[in-house]
Amino acid sequence: DGSSVSLASQPRPRRLECCLMAGLKAMTASSAACTVLLMLLLATGSAKEAKTETASPETASTGGQCKSAATLAPTIAAAFPAQKKKRQILHFVRHAEGFHNLVSHKYPRHSEGYERTLADPSFFDARLSPLGLQQCEKLREQVAQSTLKYDLILVSPLARTLQTLSIAFPDPPSNVPIIAVDFIRERFGLRPCDSRSEVSVAQKEFPHVDFSLVPPGPDPHMCARGQTAECPPRETEESMDERARELVAFLETREEESILIVGHSAFFARVFEKHLGWDASEGPYRMANAALRSIEVVYK
């Protein structure tokens, strides 16, 4: 959609999220129904306080409900420096279900059973479950039937995001860079599932991904196999905010206009809640497994 929206006349923000399973083709065919105009609030440090999200394990596991594209009327106001005039479309994709999700979703979120499951060292750098693999295949089919386009891919260096990207988006154009970046990884600490393997290991399985921006050697936030007691503490919200600002700064340096970002629920939720001014009444901050949320960011 090449139209611009005056900040003075913007309507109330509306939810824009699509699981792909429920009609990505319809969504992408109507750019007027699928554009969210955002002005990232990081530049002014005045991001509004949003409501606390309380997604249930069932919603996170099954993908929840997707609204019809016809009901989506999108814009979110904010403020960026007046000299900025760049526009980008960002396609956020959460990884498909991992084995740690499969087991932890049997318990209420943050319950003793939930936390005990995620502390299991056997889930180190968790990979996709059988259902997760099916979700990726379904995502791939829907993407193939859609008009979704992107000219840059950013992916978390954890195994489940690399698997999701490789299965759901198996044949990106040869001129599209695929870059792994640590600053969009999941919230680290306490949970072995959120530690990553060494870059040398990931490179062997995913040679098509550029890992040059990921520090070599062991994960500096390692929760080692069989050594849960030695795990670092859970990452602070301030640290997540710093990574969110790093993401925004990186995006500002890129000339690509449409960017696919494959990552994780907790980090994406923080970005949407505190850095994109997302209204929780229009949809949860946390994305479901294998869900896609597309927004348009205008830098003015």
Side-chain angles (χ1 to χ4, degrees):
D1 182 4
S3 62
S4 60
V5 179
S6 167
L7 291 180
S9 62
Q10 287 181 356
R12 183 170 180 267
R14 297 290 305 275
R15 176 186 180 189
L16 175 62
E17 179 171 3
C18 177
C19 310
L20 286 191
M21 312 326 181
L24 177 61
K25 185 173 182 180
M27 187 188 78
T28 54
S30 175
S31 58
C34 289
T35 301
V36 174
L37 177 63
L38 294 179
M39 308 299 302
L40 300 179
L41 302 183
L42 286 174
T44 62
S46 60
K48 68 178 182 180
E49 290 295 325
K51 302 174 185 176
T52 301
E53 182 270 326
T54 57
S56 67
E58 292 76 18
T59 298
S61 177
T62 63
Q65 298 295 319
C66 290
K67 291 186 177 180
S68 161
T71 69
L72 304 175
T75 54
I76 296 179
F80 238 87
Q83 69 270 22
K84 302 279 186 181
K85 295 183 182 295
K86 187 166 70 170
R87 176 185 301 240
Q88 288 176 330
I89 297 175
L90 306 180
H91 306 287
F92 291 88
V93 176
R94 184 191 171 191
H95 65 80
E97 183 189 76
F99 278 104
H100 65 305
N101 299 135
L102 172 65
V103 179
S104 65
H105 287 163
K106 297 177 181 178
Y107 303 95
R109 189 173 180 78
H110 298 310
S111 68
E112 181 181 351
Y114 180 91
E115 296 296 340
R116 183 177 63 251
T117 296
L118 294 179
D120 187 337
S122 68
F123 292 134
F124 173 83
D125 197 5
R127 298 180 69 85
L128 298 184
S129 68
L131 175 59
L133 296 175
Q134 293 175 19
Q135 290 172 336
C136 288
E137 291 293 344
K138 184 65 174 179
L139 190 62
R140 180 187 61 77
E141 294 171 3
Q142 296 291 339
V143 168
Q145 297 172 14
S146 76
T147 59
L148 180 70
K149 296 185 182 300
Y150 47 86
D151 40 26
L152 171 66
I153 299 173
L154 300 182
V155 60
S156 159
L158 274 67
R160 56 190 181 271
T161 44
L162 292 165
Q163 283 185 288
T164 298
L165 171 64
S166 299
I167 299 171
F169 302 87
D171 300 305
S174 59
N175 63 338
V176 172
I178 306 176
I179 305 174
V181 286
D182 237 6
F183 52 74
I184 64 171
R185 65 182 294 169
E186 184 58 299
R187 187 177 190 177
F188 54 76
L190 287 185
R191 301 171 179 174
C193 59
D194 296 329
S195 293
R196 63 169 173 80
S197 303
E198 291 193 30
V199 169
S200 58
V201 174
Q203 283 177 319
K204 292 179 181 178
E205 185 175 0
F206 306 99
H208 56 293
V209 177
D210 177 2
F211 289 92
S212 62
L213 297 182
V214 181
D219 185 355
H221 311 291
M222 175 70 75
C223 258
R225 291 179 185 271
Q227 299 177 354
T228 308
E230 298 180 13
C231 288
R234 193 71 167 151
E235 182 184 17
T236 64
E237 292 179 343
E238 291 75 16
S239 174
M240 294 179 72
D241 290 335
E242 174 122 4
R243 292 199 285 123
R245 288 190 286 270
E246 190 174 357
L247 169 61
V248 172
F250 182 87
L251 292 172
E252 284 193 84
T253 69
R254 304 297 302 196
E255 295 301 319
E256 292 87 357
E257 297 180 351
S258 185
I259 301 174
L260 184 70
I261 305 174
V262 185
H264 306 265
S265 62
F267 179 68
F268 281 171
R270 187 70 181 178
V271 170
F272 276 90
E273 179 181 6
K274 299 297 183 182
H275 301 280
L276 295 184
W278 188 264
D279 187 345
S281 69
E282 304 297 341
Y285 300 124
R286 285 184 181 270
M287 298 172 61
N289 288 122
L292 171 105
R293 180 177 289 173
S294 295
I295 64 171
E296 184 177 49
V297 178
V298 178
Y299 305 86
K300 286 189 177 180

